[in-house]
């Protein structure tokens, strides 16, 4: 039965959930004073269930794998309601190692990825440079992951907003501080770090233990004589530091991302320097690129780096805390968020994502 749904938050999670619900016949209103101004605006946009694997985060892997499988549905749903571009590319990912120690790290990571059902292909450095000729000639190792894709988050968000409007979603540019303000049958709390301040659905202390995790990013323009500098996402380990280079349609490259928890919202000189230095180590022609923008975003992290996704009352569903994986996990947040709103069994096991889990642990 169609209902009157309020979605609090207009980042990638809120927008994709709103569009999914509207497409299912619900009347949807999205509340956000400044849509797409948070983590989505600063995201890299890699759809990388294999390359983004982090040791000892096993409960996250089924969500990442499901998200990778479901992402074409979300792209097609967006295209059903708008002709705006999303920056969706399926060129794949190459991970490279700068030196022998980094190569050992890369080999251990590949074993761990395959142990958990990820598909990867070890390639020679010569094969890697055949795929991406601009790679540094002295890289020590390489892995090809054809199934890891990308979107361009700012473009995708614009497309989602247009698709939502075309699907009759209403946007109200207001902050919601208490869910009791909302006249709705169901509420989806998808306002990222803002969920720390949104009341009306719990007693006592807020059970969501969200923290801002900042990441510095650099946007580059490739000189005309070097385009395209890369066709695939290139990830690397440089003296054990992670680096990624994302090619954008046309002449752009995105470098990311550092990780820091210092409550400093502006890009830091040291972080930008690190990204440029390490990027040049794996893709030397970056040295000749123009710097277009530096920026930093706060990603909403939980204590165990798993999202908060689940029903917390008869009226409220929580969908936040996606940390570094918000763009990828939008496919899970949208589908499972809609299923939770409709009080259906989610398509993937969400027990590990229980929004109340950290209160219970206390």
């Amino acid at each position: 039965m169609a209902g009157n749904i309020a979605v609090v938050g207009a980042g990638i999670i809120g927008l994709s959930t709103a569009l999914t619900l509207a497409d299912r016949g619900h009347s949807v209103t999205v509340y956000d004073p400044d849509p797409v101004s948070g983590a989505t605006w600063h995201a890299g946009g890699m759809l990388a269930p294999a390359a983004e694997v982090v040791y000892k985060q096993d409960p996250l892997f089924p969500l990442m794998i499901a998200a990778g499988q479901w992402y074409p549905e979300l792209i097609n749903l967006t295209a059903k309601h708008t002709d705006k571009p999303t920056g969706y590319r399926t060129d794949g990912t190459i991970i490279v190692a700068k030196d022998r120690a980094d190569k050992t790290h890369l080999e251990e990571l590949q074993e761990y990825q395959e142990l958990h059902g990820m598909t990867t292909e070890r390639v020679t450095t010569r094969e890697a440079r055949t795929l991406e000729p601009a790679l540094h000639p002295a890289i020590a190792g390489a892995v090809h992951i054809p199934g890891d894709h990308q979107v361009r988050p700012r473009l995708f968000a614009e497309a989602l907003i247009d698709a939502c409007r075309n699907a009759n979603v209403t946007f109200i540019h207001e902050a919601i501080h208490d869910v009791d303000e909302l006249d709705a049958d169901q509420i989806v709390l998808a306002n990222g770090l803002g969920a720390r301040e949104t009341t009306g659905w719990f007693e006592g202390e807020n059970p969501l233990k969200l923290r801002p995790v900042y990441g510095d990013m650099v946007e580059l323009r490739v000189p005309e004589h070097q385009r395209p500098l890369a066709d695939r996402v290139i990830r690397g380990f440089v003296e054990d530091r992670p680096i990624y280079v994302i090619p954008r349609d046309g002449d752009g490259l995105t470098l990311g991302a550092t990780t820091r928890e210092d409550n400093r919202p502006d890009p830091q000189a040291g972080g930008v320097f690190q990204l440029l230095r390490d990027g040049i180590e794996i893709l030397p022609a970056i040295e000749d690129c123009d710097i277009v923008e530096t920026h930093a975003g706060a990603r909403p992290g939980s204590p165990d780096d798993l999202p908060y996704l689940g029903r917390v009352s008869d009226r409220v569903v929580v969908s936040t805390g996606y940390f570094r994986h918000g763009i990828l996990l939008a496919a899970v947040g949208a589908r499972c968020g809609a299923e939770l709103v409709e009080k259906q069994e989610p398509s993937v096991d969400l027990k590990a994502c229980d929004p109340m889990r950290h209160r219970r642990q206390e």
Side-chain angles (χ1 to χ4, degrees):
M1 182 181 297
N4 177 22
I5 316 299
V7 176
V8 182
I12 190 78
I13 301 297
L15 292 171
S16 56
T17 304
L19 181 60
T20 301
L21 286 163
D23 191 67
R24 292 183 178 213
H26 299 281
S27 175
V28 183
T29 302
V30 174
Y31 295 84
D32 194 313
D34 191 7
V36 199
S37 59
T40 299
W41 184 256
H42 302 283
M46 293 173 295
L47 311 177
E52 288 278 344
V53 160
V54 176
Y55 293 109
K56 297 183 179 179
Q57 288 191 349
D58 297 24
L60 190 57
F61 302 157
L63 305 182
M64 295 169 71
I65 292 170
Q69 293 170 345
W70 297 344
Y71 226 91
E73 292 181 18
L74 182 56
I75 296 295
N76 290 338
L77 175 62
T78 307
K80 175 181 173 182
H81 294 281
T82 183
D83 57 3
K84 287 184 175 290
T86 61
Y88 182 56
R89 293 177 57 165
T90 59
D91 307 276
T93 295
I94 287 182
I95 312 179
V96 301
K98 175 183 179 287
D99 57 28
R100 287 186 178 182
D102 293 321
K103 182 181 179 183
T104 299
H105 183 167
L106 181 56
E107 290 171 347
E108 291 171 349
L109 176 62
Q110 187 189 22
E111 290 174 5
Y112 192 71
Q113 290 165 332
E114 294 189 345
L115 180 66
H116 289 86
M118 314 290 182
T119 300
T120 65
E121 302 171 356
R122 190 170 300 180
V123 294
T124 66
T125 56
R126 178 177 291 182
E127 289 169 334
R129 295 192 70 239
T130 299
L131 292 171
E132 292 294 343
L135 282 170
H136 196 293
I139 58 171
V143 169
H144 182 216
I145 307 178
D148 280 5
H149 304 150
Q150 64 153 302
V151 291
R152 194 164 185 171
R154 296 179 186 182
L155 278 183
F156 191 22
E158 288 179 17
L160 281 167
I161 288 173
D162 191 59
C164 282
R165 288 192 172 121
N166 293 335
N168 298 316
V169 173
T170 300
F171 284 84
I172 296 180
H173 295 275
E174 295 177 3
I176 301 300
H177 303 290
D178 188 325
V179 296
D180 288 336
E181 301 170 34
L182 297 168
D183 181 19
D185 302 321
Q186 293 287 304
I187 299 162
V188 181
L189 205 60
N191 52 341
L193 288 165
R196 296 181 298 178
E197 317 299 333
T198 309
T199 61
W201 60 275
F202 58 87
E203 295 181 0
E205 186 180 350
N206 192 323
L208 305 180
K209 310 301 180 186
L210 292 166
R211 73 194 195 282
V213 183
Y214 290 91
D216 302 305
M217 307 279 284
V218 181
E219 307 293 336
L220 302 174
R221 182 186 301 112
V222 180
E224 188 171 355
H225 68 278
Q226 291 187 341
R227 299 174 195 166
L229 192 54
D231 291 317
R232 297 159 184 79
V233 172
I234 300 173
R235 304 177 73 103
F237 295 108
V238 178
E239 298 174 0
D240 213 36
R241 293 183 300 270
I243 177 76
Y244 58 74
V245 182
I246 309 172
R248 303 303 193 187
D249 291 337
D251 59 0
L253 286 180
T254 296
L255 302 186
T258 60
T259 297
R260 51 186 175 81
E261 300 188 38
D262 55 9
N263 288 313
R264 298 175 66 186
D266 294 316
Q268 301 300 300
V272 171
F273 172 73
Q274 174 187 314
L275 293 174
L276 290 169
R277 178 192 60 205
D278 292 349
I280 290 167
E281 287 284 359
I282 62 171
L283 212 63
I286 283 175
E287 196 166 20
D288 197 33
C289 290
D290 304 320
I291 296 177
V292 176
E293 178 186 358
T294 62
H295 55 104
R299 298 159 290 195
S302 70
D304 53 14
D305 295 336
L306 287 165
Y308 292 118
L309 179 56
R311 178 171 287 283
V312 294
S313 74
D314 189 58
R315 189 164 169 253
V316 178
V317 170
V318 169
S319 183
T320 186
Y322 289 86
F323 189 32
R324 294 165 48 247
H325 307 293
I327 303 298
L328 170 64
L329 292 183
V332 167
R335 180 193 280 204
C336 294
E339 291 166 342
L340 289 164
V341 164
E342 294 176 345
K343 300 186 177 179
Q344 299 177 16
E345 187 71 21
S347 294
V348 67
D349 187 353
L350 296 177
K351 290 186 181 67
C353 303
D354 180 3
M356 308 300 287
R357 65 186 181 276
H358 293 122
R359 171 177 284 184
R360 294 192 180 115
Q361 288 170 8
E362 291 174 357

